[in-house]
Amino acid sequence: MFEMMMMDTGLGHVYVENLNVSDAQQLLCNLKQMKNVVIGSSRQKTNLMLCGAVPRLLQIMTTDNTPSEILVECGVLLGSFAKGNEANKRELMEDGVLAIMMQGLAHSNLKFVESCLRFLRTMLTSPIAPTEILFQDNTVIPHMIQLLPRSPCTQECVASILANSCKTPDQQEMMFRHGAIQALSPLLTSNSDKIRLPALQCFAAISYQNKPISMAIASAMYNGESIPELFCKLMARNNTIIMQLTSAKCLAYLCRAGAIRPADNMIVIRAMPTLVRMCKKDRSVEERVDGAEVLAYLIEEDVSLQRTAAITDHLVLTLAGFIKYTPDSSHKKEQAEHLINEMRQAAFKVYASLGANEEDIRKRIIETETLMDQVEKYLSSPTVKVQLASVRCLHSLSRSVQQLRTSFQDHAVWKPLMKLLQSEQPEELLTVASSTLCNLLLEFSPSKEPIVDAGAVELLCKLTSSPSSALRLNGIWGLMNMAFQAEQKIKSSILATLGTDQLFRLLTDTNVDILMKTLGLLRNLLSTKPTQHIDSIMSSHSKQIMTAVIMILEDDHPPEVKEQTLCILANIADGNTAKDFIMSNEDILKKLTYYMRHENVRLQIAAVYCINNLVWNEEEGAGDRRAKLKEYGVQKHLQSLLSSSDTVLFDKVKTALQQFSS
């Protein structure tokens, strides 16, 4: 009590001055006195730091031949200061303490090394920590891995530090290269949860979205057991909840990386049910959120896991409870809002994964009480994390043809979606939202007309100019869907708003998916019914369209790109006056005969399909077109294709030859 009063009256300087003594034993005694004052008191830590304790401690530590017992006390004191408030941590970083403590790891005295590790663990597990500092010096990570077996303290601290610091593929690779798997494996069989848990967390950190490392972990053995088998043992219910959850997370990461089959019992019978169990109401909010997020990640791309999860322990209804969650009154307002948002976004993530493929699952999700109302509401959430998760959920549900025709008609989800897309938002959010909009613009969707009326043409055309390839793709994809069997005024609006210059830029995009969707847009604009649409568009844009067709057919593109381009020609050939733009273009006619003889049968079919539309004898001018095509050897090429073993090509060739003989 007396010491606390002294500190409160500004006499902390006395403690700092006492560190200036030259006698080693007196210095050691004074360090211990300071330690007794600061341990457990955030206030005293701050006071002593304000009085200059940290620079003096660093001076002592960096003096040559400082006795080990003094170094240990200095390390313990700095570790205590690190457990103060955020301002204390920032000051320690600004004073360069991190670098000095990292240098201390090379000391021969184990107790001093342990004090350095405790300091580093406290600092580097803080949200403000510059964790990348560990990887900037190539000697630090291998040395820390070598320290792992030295003592229980080094095991606990090193594993915690590495688990929290490893965040990028390069960092994962560095840890793997220096033997992290072999060094961490023995820790999984420790008797101490304080060692086993950070070891598990470290395995999760190095395996996340990393196939080579995940494969190495899956095949690694320790004491005759595989590492995944050890993970399974740690999922036993007699272990702590966090231990079970982290073990399931490790297996989930290995599975997603392709190192364990989704059908493996370790996943289906152990990991997934454990994660579903973590979502139950008897678990803490943090456990429920973590369990749900890992579950969503595990099942995201596997249909069989989605089916199994959907019927496991009433999961769909359990998640509805997440969205309705209300924290008790003991939480402060800001903390309560954070917990509510975490629960909502976690539920939406799992719903998105569950409904990614199966129509029946989507139906069950949508029929969950008030769910669509909640999704619609949180599309406008001020919390980006919740907003993104709700958009992902909507995107997953919008893949259903049946639901687009029914449930989506009862909920105007397109309104908040359009509002979101018309405002400044993070790229990831815009990408998922625009992808969802593409689904809502499909021809049978009741939302299509109001979305178009709300300015979708301008919005999507703007997206096609984005520096993001994902946004450009979604922009042109949405326009393609919008143009399918659309009225002439919508097609004209698309062409006028997009502009031929931008159309050409998209046709020269290095992203093949964007090129394909741009060709798909052109094909839908030049739709076959009614033919007046084709004639109208070609009358005003023939030069640009024909130039684009020639450019693509001449360039080095995959067969599917050239097939789509030939189908555009076939649509043009189905017009009334539009045919003339093909027949008057010698370059195009030569290319048609070339692709009729191409080794790729799909390109042959597309070329013959175009010829059929040009020579159809019921249409005006067919005789003249047949005569001209004969001059290019088209009829002879058709006759040579009668020997084709492909039935589709054979039928189209036969039909075309009938037109020539009539």
Side-chain angles (χ1 to χ4, degrees), residues 147-160 186-187 190 194-195 198:
L147 287 173
L148 271 168
R150 293 282 298 277
S151 71
C153 176
T154 61
Q155 291 176 330
E156 179 186 340
C157 291
V158 170
S160 296
L187 277 59
S190 168
K194 289 183 177 180
I195 293 172

Side-chain angles (χ1 to χ4, degrees), residues 488 495 525-526 533-542 545:
Q488 181 63 28
L495 271 172
L525 290 172
L526 297 163
H533 288 195
I534 303 169
D535 295 334
S536 173
I537 290 171
M538 288 302 293
S539 67
S540 54
H541 297 89
S542 61
I545 290 172

Side-chain angles (χ1 to χ4, degrees), residues 131-426:
T131 53
E132 66 281 357
I133 193 172
L134 289 179
F135 298 88
Q136 291 170 354
D137 182 338
N138 291 334
T139 65
V140 174
I141 294 298
H143 184 66
M144 291 187 80
I145 291 173
Q146 288 170 10
L147 287 173
L148 271 168
R150 293 282 298 277
S151 71
C153 176
T154 61
Q155 291 176 330
E156 179 186 340
C157 291
V158 170
S160 296
I161 292 166
L162 294 179
N164 197 69
S165 302
C166 181
K167 294 173 181 175
T168 70
D170 287 343
Q171 292 169 354
Q172 291 172 325
E173 173 61 26
M174 181 181 285
M175 286 176 58
F176 171 66
R177 194 169 63 248
H178 291 292
I181 295 174
Q182 294 77 9
L184 289 165
S185 297
L187 277 59
L188 297 175
T189 59
S190 168
N191 292 324
S192 169
D193 283 359
K194 289 183 177 180
I195 293 172
R196 290 188 294 179
L197 181 59
L200 280 171
Q201 292 166 335
C202 211
F203 273 112
I206 63 174
S207 62
Y208 181 62
Q209 294 186 338
N210 193 314
K211 183 169 184 174
I213 294 177
S214 292
M215 297 294 283
I217 293 171
S219 62
M221 305 286 290
Y222 180 70
N223 276 357
E225 292 183 285
S226 73
I227 300 303
E229 286 170 344
L230 292 176
F231 293 160
C232 281
K233 281 188 173 183
L234 293 172
M235 269 193 294
R237 294 202 185 197
N238 61 334
N239 287 312
T240 62
I241 293 299
I242 187 65
M243 190 84 70
Q244 297 174 48
L245 177 52
T246 310
S247 301
K249 182 184 292 187
C250 289
L251 287 169
Y253 289 177
L254 295 186
C255 180
R256 277 302 304 272
I260 299 178
R261 292 180 302 109
D264 193 299
N265 284 345
M266 285 191 284
I267 301 299
V268 179
I269 296 177
R270 300 300 305 279
M272 190 168 71
T274 297
L275 292 170
V276 173
R277 183 160 44 85
M278 294 300 151
C279 299
K280 288 297 181 181
K281 204 169 184 178
D282 59 339
R283 303 267 59 88
S284 71
V285 171
E286 291 78 13
E287 289 160 356
R288 294 171 81 185
V289 169
D290 200 11
E293 289 184 333
V294 177
L295 177 63
Y297 180 66
L298 171 63
I299 68 174
E300 186 177 15
E301 294 185 352
D302 189 85
V303 180
S304 63
L305 289 180
Q306 290 159 12
R307 289 174 186 150
T308 306
I311 58 172
T312 300
D313 209 3
H314 310 290
L315 178 61
V316 173
L317 286 175
T318 299
L319 294 169
F322 276 48
I323 299 173
K324 297 174 184 175
Y325 167 77
T326 304
D328 59 52
S329 57
S330 65
H331 294 97
K332 293 180 181 178
K333 183 181 178 182
E334 187 176 322
Q335 185 187 20
E337 287 179 358
H338 172 73
L339 294 176
I340 290 169
N341 286 330
E342 284 293 288
M343 290 286 276
R344 285 171 184 160
Q345 63 87 25
F348 287 137
K349 280 180 180 175
V350 183
Y351 279 139
S353 292
L354 282 171
N357 293 287
E358 288 284 296
E359 187 72 26
D360 289 345
I361 300 175
R362 291 189 193 113
K363 188 172 185 292
R364 286 177 57 197
I365 293 170
I366 286 175
E367 288 176 352
T368 303
E369 185 183 3
T370 73
L371 178 73
M372 286 298 288
D373 292 330
Q374 300 295 332
V375 171
E376 184 178 347
K377 176 181 177 181
Y378 293 114
L379 288 173
S380 304
S381 171
T383 305
V384 173
K385 200 173 181 181
V386 176
Q387 198 176 23
L388 177 59
S390 63
V391 174
R392 286 195 186 283
C393 180
L394 181 64
H395 179 242
S396 183
L397 300 177
S398 71
R399 291 171 174 165
S400 166
V401 174
Q402 182 62 32
Q403 299 308 323
L404 278 175
R405 285 176 166 157
T406 54
S407 300
F408 278 72
Q409 192 167 7
D410 302 328
H411 298 87
V413 292
W414 63 269
K415 289 183 178 179
L417 197 66
M418 284 290 288
K419 186 177 179 182
L420 186 159
L421 285 164
Q422 288 166 336
S423 59
E424 288 292 325
Q425 299 290 350

Side-chain angles (χ1 to χ4, degrees), residues 94-136:
E94 289 167 6
D95 286 342
V97 184
L98 275 172
I100 290 172
M101 297 301 259
M102 283 166 60
Q103 291 169 14
L105 298 178
H107 201 276
S108 59
N109 184 282
L110 180 59
K111 287 192 177 298
F112 176 55
V113 170
E114 289 177 344
S115 72
C116 292
L117 283 171
R118 288 192 184 97
F119 170 87
L120 290 169
R121 179 182 60 179
T122 303
M123 292 294 290
L124 295 175
T125 54
S126 162
I128 64 170
T131 53
E132 66 281 357
I133 193 172
L134 289 179
F135 298 88
Q136 291 170 354

Side-chain angles (χ1 to χ4, degrees), residues 617-650:
N617 60 29
E618 294 177 4
E619 295 179 352
E620 186 179 346
D624 292 339
R625 289 191 293 275
R626 284 196 296 271
K628 186 169 184 178
L629 290 172
K630 279 182 182 179
E631 294 175 10
Y632 281 84
V634 169
Q635 188 174 15
K636 287 182 180 179
H637 294 320
L638 287 169
Q639 288 168 341
S640 69
L641 291 173
L642 285 170
S643 59
S644 173
S645 59
D646 186 276
T647 55
V648 177
L649 177 59
F650 177 82

Side-chain angles (χ1 to χ4, degrees), residues 540-555:
S540 54
H541 297 89
S542 61
K543 183 178 179 182
Q544 297 92 333
I545 290 172
M546 297 307 278
T547 301
V549 166
I550 292 170
M551 176 183 70
I552 292 168
L553 291 177
E554 285 182 349
D555 286 352

